[in-house]
Amino acid sequence: MLEERESKEPAMNLFQKNEFKETPFLPVSPEEVPPRPPSFPKKPSPKICGSNYPLSIVFIVVNEFCERFSYYGMKAVLTLYFLYFLHWSEDTSTSVYHAFSSLCYFTPILGAAIADSWLGKFKTIIYLSLVYVLGHVIKSMGALPILGGQMLHTVLSMVGLSLIALGTGGIKPCVAAFGGDQFEEKHAEERTRYFSVFYLSINAGSLISTFVTPMLRGDVQCFGKDCYALAFGVPGLLMVIALVVFAMGSKIYRKPPPEGNIVTQVVRCIWFAISNRLKNRSADIPKREHWLDWAAEKYPRQLIMDVKALTRVLFLYIPLPMFWALLDQQGSRWTLQATRMNGNLGFFVLQPDQMQVLNPFLVLIFIPLFDLVIYPLVSKCGINFTSLRKMAVGMILACLAFAVAATVEIKINEMAPPQPDSQEIFLQVLNLADNEVKVTVLGDENNSLLAESVKSFQKMPHYSKLHLKTKSQNFHFQLKYHNLSVYTEHSVEEKKWYTLIIREDGKSISSMMVKDEENKTTNGMTAMRFVNTLHEELNISLGTDTSLGVEEDYGVSAYRTVQRGEYSAVPCRTKNEDFSLNLGLLDFGAAYLFVITNSTGQGPQAWKMEYIPANKMSIAWQLPQYALVTAGEVMFSVTGLEFSYSQAPSSMKSVLQAAWLLTVAVGNIIVLIVAQFSSLVQWAEFILFSCLLLVVCLIFSIMGYYYVPIKLEDIQGSADKQIPQIQGNMINLETKKTKL
């Protein structure tokens, strides 16, 4: 979340005062500098307890805390919402998650343009916050199971996310700078402290919401499922509070009028230079030292020199998106990985999406650790740890983080049960008769494919593998019970898991074949099904608003997924009585079969069999990869912007912030493309990203090696030297669409 931190510096806003007006073509000398637009009238503002801090910043800081809570809280549960509620695949969930993230970093350019050129910061924040709230309302409605079907939920979700992206991105460049506008120039020190408090509110909002909203999702049941409507609704309520609090301070704000957008001015300057050069390719026209010098007919000399310095820095930005492609997968691929791990830490049970809280928590630890301990120690060792070297090391740390993530993914796969291949099935036998049964699977030539004796209610240690001759096949079974031999036939399909349930049928026995849940981890949830041996239909209440019905006389229920936890008293009801069942601990990723019996005289009981083992690998094994990638973020993000700002004029800092946000957006697009079109298994995809960033790091290091740092004072001093005298050569230049 360091890109958030950097975007709050007063010099980084995207709506910096435009000090460069278009210069008439001939009559105005290039040396003339256009006058600044008049500054807004200074309005005295009430102070906090007699200090130099304006009272208005209280409303702005509270607004930012609530808005960041709203954004990060909603985003924390977004991937699992796609996966569990909309039932999308992991690749589709990842792609849409990163498409939304990318849009959130494109829209700040639009928000800055609206604030600078049309509405001003205050009205832009108000209007786009209303759009933001509307997006949350629509998104929460899309998480209500009772509202329409999956198509309606999908449409509402996409509309809601689009509005949220417009709202959060649109106000991102406005709020911090609007707070800076509340201070008078003589109170610069107080303004600096304000930005520190502002940054603290960002991290506090993200830290708390990333921890709380997964609890609202998983620990609260609504409509019999995870309460995504509540997990989205609470952040939406916080955004309403943010808007109300911000509007309450309206009468005491200092509201500067729109002053023009420097980003637009830079783009126009570059475009004019390119087009002017293309129009004047004649050999009779003297060449110029730099391609941007071709903008001198229309734009001030100092602006051209500033843009030259800017382009040198922007060239170094080209490799940066790959770093963000790795960093932003904490909320998608790494969260999906956490669903296949065991969140029980002994003293606390973590939800998969709660692991994201490590990022803001570690950021708050690592920033002072690096600034006060690590960097000074490296300096004392005589190592010249330049800004570009820090960024390269940050990339390497991110590479290592994904290598660790790949290792964890491989270990998870090793602990998972094997999967049946083509023309294979896995079969287990469940004997519910009162005595031992010998089961023999016969082939086409009556040869024995599998033979085993199964005791009554024996828990089988594993499935048996059977080979098929075609994609589907009928198997013949011989069941020996006491002195009886029963022959039966069942049809099966390849790549499936089956349970052959043997039951008493008078003095004989019979069997039924049921298809099991796919034998893979159930994404952190617990799957269960019931076999009812009672002579009455049974209703089982697994949540506040749901009831699972199981038919009488060995009826088999559908699967139901629930959260991990202790289920010691599950309410049940038959036609004649109510009772409760003790299901015990249902662990992460496991699948259970419960047989309801009443043979002991103590009332109905639940016999429990775990046929898909629980996730064995602790979620704590994700801590090293989070620590590595967060350390890389601290070294890359903070250092990168500090270096960029040291190499570009102060007038270009807003343009740099825009370019920095665009690198984040492009990084998310890279993940979207790989997730959608790559057919790699997950650990191989992690290795792919790690290798790609390593190659990019090598390219960036080469670029940094040949980069010659400049001093900003040299830009101003060299302005008169760099651009040649042009007026004498203007006669032959084409000047279409230029004021004369």
Side-chain angles (χ1 to χ4, degrees):
M1 300 175 188
L2 287 176
E3 67 274 14
E4 296 290 344
R5 173 198 181 199
E6 299 303 330
S7 67
K8 306 310 175 187
E9 296 299 326
M12 302 177 196
N13 61 77
L14 300 185
F15 35 82
Q16 183 165 327
K17 188 183 299 183
N18 176 12
E19 300 181 2
F20 306 107
K21 295 182 177 178
E22 291 190 3
T23 307
F25 184 69
L26 278 178
V28 179
S29 169
E31 276 86 311
E32 293 183 15
V33 178
R36 295 173 179 243
S39 60
F40 62 93
K42 296 182 179 179
K43 177 181 177 181
S45 175
K47 307 297 182 182
I48 301 175
C49 301
S51 67
N52 291 325
Y53 294 95
L55 180 61
S56 54
I57 66 171
V58 175
F59 299 97
I60 296 173
V61 170
V62 174
N63 165 270
E64 184 65 13
F65 169 82
C66 295
E67 190 274 328
R68 290 292 87 185
F69 187 108
S70 170
Y71 174 74
Y72 283 109
M74 178 276 304
K75 196 176 179 184
V77 300
L78 193 58
T79 299
L80 298 189
Y81 167 78
F82 293 149
L83 190 68
Y84 297 152
F85 191 88
L86 297 182
H87 305 294
W88 291 351
S89 67
E90 291 190 0
D91 288 340
T92 302
S93 301
T94 300
S95 299
V96 177
Y97 174 90
H98 286 282
F100 168 72
S101 299
S102 179
L103 187 59
C104 289
Y105 285 100
F106 276 118
T107 50
I109 311 300
L110 177 61
I114 293 174
D116 294 349
S117 307
W118 183 23
L119 296 177
K121 303 182 190 70
F122 175 77
K123 289 184 178 179
T124 301
I125 295 171
I126 290 290
Y127 294 157
L128 290 183
S129 292
L130 290 172
V131 174
Y132 203 160
V133 170
L134 179 62
H136 271 298
V137 172
I138 295 175
K139 185 73 190 73
S140 300
M141 292 173 60
L144 291 171
I146 60 174
L147 191 64
Q150 183 174 354
M151 179 59 69
L152 180 60
H153 293 153
T154 302
V155 171
L156 290 175
S157 297
M158 295 303 100
V159 173
L161 288 176
S162 299
L163 294 176
I164 290 172
L166 176 60
T168 187
I171 69 175
K172 185 191 292 289
C174 301
V175 178
F178 186 69
D181 290 338
Q182 307 308 306
F183 290 86
E184 301 175 21
E185 290 301 325
K186 60 183 179 181
H187 297 146
E189 183 178 349
E190 286 81 2
R191 180 167 54 193
T192 301
R193 292 175 183 171
Y194 153 74
F195 280 105
S196 298
V197 175
F198 193 89
Y199 170 55
L200 180 62
S201 71
I202 294 171
N203 280 273
S206 62
L207 186 68
I208 296 172
S209 65
T210 308
F211 186 78
V212 170
T213 51
M215 296 175 65
L216 297 176
R217 172 194 64 79
D219 295 345
V220 179
Q221 294 283 306
C222 52
F223 307 102
K225 299 179 181 179
D226 283 357
C227 202
Y228 288 99
L230 180 64
F232 291 137
V234 169
L237 178 62
L238 264 291
M239 190 58 222
V240 173
I241 296 174
L243 175 58
V244 171
V245 169
F246 183 77
M248 287 171 60
S250 175
K251 294 184 179 180
I252 61 174
Y253 291 141
R254 301 172 76 231
K255 303 173 185 177
E259 296 178 346
N261 191 287
I262 187 62
V263 177
T264 304
Q265 190 75 6
V266 169
V267 172
R268 288 177 177 175
C269 178
I270 294 174
W271 175 254
F272 181 81
I274 296 174
S275 60
N276 197 25
R277 178 67 184 93
L278 294 176
K279 293 172 186 175
N280 298 279
R281 296 190 297 269
S282 173
D284 298 333
I285 300 177
K287 295 183 178 180
R288 301 182 184 178
E289 184 174 343
H290 195 280
W291 62 272
L292 278 168
D293 292 339
W294 289 93
E297 288 80 21
K298 188 175 182 181
Y299 290 94
R301 179 168 302 170
Q302 188 59 49
L303 173 61
I304 295 173
M305 296 307 303
D306 289 351
V307 176
K308 287 181 182 180
L310 173 70
T311 54
R312 297 178 75 249
V313 178
L314 292 183
F315 178 70
L316 292 176
Y317 276 20
I318 295 175
L320 304 191
M322 184 53 68
F323 176 85
W324 300 114
L326 275 69
L327 182 70
D328 283 355
Q329 291 189 55
Q330 296 173 75
S332 56
R333 290 302 199 194
W334 286 13
T335 297
L336 294 175
Q337 184 185 70
T339 64
R340 299 187 289 272
M341 305 177 77
N342 195 318
N344 185 12
L345 302 179
F347 59 90
F348 189 79
V349 177
L350 271 178
Q351 299 292 339
D353 36 2
Q354 279 181 315
M355 282 299 290
Q356 300 172 60
V357 79
L358 282 176
N359 180 258
F361 177 73
L362 291 175
V363 162
L364 294 178
I365 295 176
F366 284 168
I367 287 179
L369 177 65
F370 276 76
D371 288 342
L372 302 178
V373 179
I374 295 180
Y375 292 155
L377 285 178
V378 172
S379 179
K380 287 184 178 180
C381 293
I383 300 175
N384 184 19
F385 208 22
T386 63
S387 297
L388 294 179
R389 290 177 181 176
K390 291 177 184 177
M391 294 178 67
V393 172
M395 291 182 178
I396 294 174
L397 289 176
C399 292
L400 293 176
F402 266 68
V404 172
T407 304
V408 171
E409 188 72 22
I410 291 172
K411 297 301 292 184
I412 292 173
N413 293 339
E414 288 177 354
M415 294 179 179
Q419 301 295 316
D421 294 328
S422 298
Q423 297 186 358
E424 287 182 353
I425 67 164
F426 283 173
L427 175 70
Q428 70 172 353
V429 179
L430 176 59
N431 180 13
L432 302 183
D434 61 355
N435 208 336
E436 181 177 344
V437 175
K438 184 177 181 181
V439 181
T440 304
V441 182
L442 302 175
D444 293 339
E445 300 176 357
N446 285 331
N447 57 314
S448 176
L449 302 178
L450 175 68
E452 58 184 358
S453 296
V454 185
K455 296 180 180 179
S456 177
F457 285 86
Q458 177 182 343
K459 297 181 180 180
M460 302 302 293
H462 55 79
Y463 282 80
S464 299
K465 181 189 297 186
L466 295 177
H467 294 274
L468 310 181
K469 293 184 177 180
T470 59
K471 291 184 177 181
S472 61
Q473 183 177 327
N474 290 336
F475 277 116
H476 299 276
F477 295 85
Q478 180 186 20
L479 309 177
K480 290 186 177 181
Y481 172 71
H482 294 306
N483 296 323
L484 296 174
S485 289
V486 178
Y487 292 87
T488 184
E489 181 179 351
H490 296 289
S491 177
V492 295
E493 298 177 359
E494 66 174 357
K495 297 183 179 180
K496 301 294 183 182
W497 300 76
Y498 293 93
T499 296
L500 180 69
I501 299 179
I502 301 172
R503 47 168 288 193
E504 295 182 20
D505 190 4
K507 294 183 179 181
S508 182
I509 57 173
S510 61
S511 65
M512 56 182 176
M513 185 78 79
V514 295
K515 188 184 299 183
D516 291 339
E517 181 84 354
E518 291 185 7
N519 198 343
K520 62 181 180 181
T521 52
T522 53
N523 294 321
M525 303 287 283
T526 296
M528 66 175 75
R529 75 191 313 179
F530 295 85
V531 177
N532 179 20
T533 66
L534 307 180
H535 300 298
E536 296 178 285
E537 184 177 348
L538 179 65
N539 288 305
I540 305 171
S541 299
L542 295 172
T544 55
D545 299 304
T546 184
S547 179
L548 181 64
V550 193
E551 294 181 359
E552 70 275 8
D553 295 328
Y554 296 91
V556 181
S557 73
Y559 276 99
R560 183 61 54 88
T561 56
V562 296
Q563 287 289 331
R564 183 259 187 202
E566 285 280 353
Y567 291 79
S568 56
V570 176
C572 301
R573 172 180 294 181
T574 63
K575 184 178 181 181
N576 297 319
E577 67 173 326
D578 294 345
F579 57 93
S580 62
L581 293 175
N582 181 10
L583 304 184
L585 174 65
L586 306 183
D587 213 348
F588 287 103
Y592 300 93
L593 176 68
F594 292 96
V595 180
I596 312 301
T597 63
N598 191 12
S599 58
T600 62
Q602 299 178 358
Q605 303 289 321
W607 179 81
K608 177 180 178 182
M609 182 178 73
E610 178 185 87
Y611 62 90
I612 296 181
N615 299 342
K616 294 183 176 66
M617 194 160 188
S618 173
I619 203 170
W621 283 104
Q622 279 196 324
L623 181 59
Q625 65 200 54
Y626 270 97
L628 284 169
V629 81
T630 306
E633 181 185 4
V634 169
M635 299 188 71
F636 179 89
S637 184
V638 176
T639 309
L641 274 176
E642 287 176 353
F643 170 79
S644 302
Y645 293 170
S646 71
Q647 296 296 295
S650 59
S651 62
M652 295 293 110
K653 290 182 180 179
S654 58
V655 188
L656 278 176
Q657 176 63 18
W660 187 266
L661 294 177
L662 288 178
T663 64
V664 182
V666 174
N668 279 275
I669 292 177
I670 293 174
V671 183
L672 187 157
I673 294 172
V674 173
Q676 201 63 33
F677 299 104
S678 171
S679 58
L680 298 173
V681 294
Q682 190 55 66
W683 67 265
E685 185 180 293
F686 285 154
I687 294 295
L688 172 65
F689 275 109
S690 182
C691 293
L692 286 175
L693 184 57
L694 192 61
V695 172
V696 167
C697 178
L698 179 61
I699 296 173
F700 178 79
S701 299
I702 296 173
M703 294 167 62
Y705 179 79
Y706 289 102
Y707 181 84
V708 180
I710 61 172
K711 297 181 180 179
L712 292 185
E713 53 266 25
D714 296 339
I715 299 176
Q716 181 70 31
S718 61
D720 295 332
K721 302 176 183 179
Q722 294 293 327
I723 302 181
Q725 294 298 322
I726 297 174
Q727 285 181 315
N729 299 315
M730 287 182 180
I731 296 176
N732 297 324
L733 297 184
E734 296 183 23
T735 56
K736 296 179 181 179
K737 298 183 181 179
T738 306
K739 295 180 181 179
L740 296 178

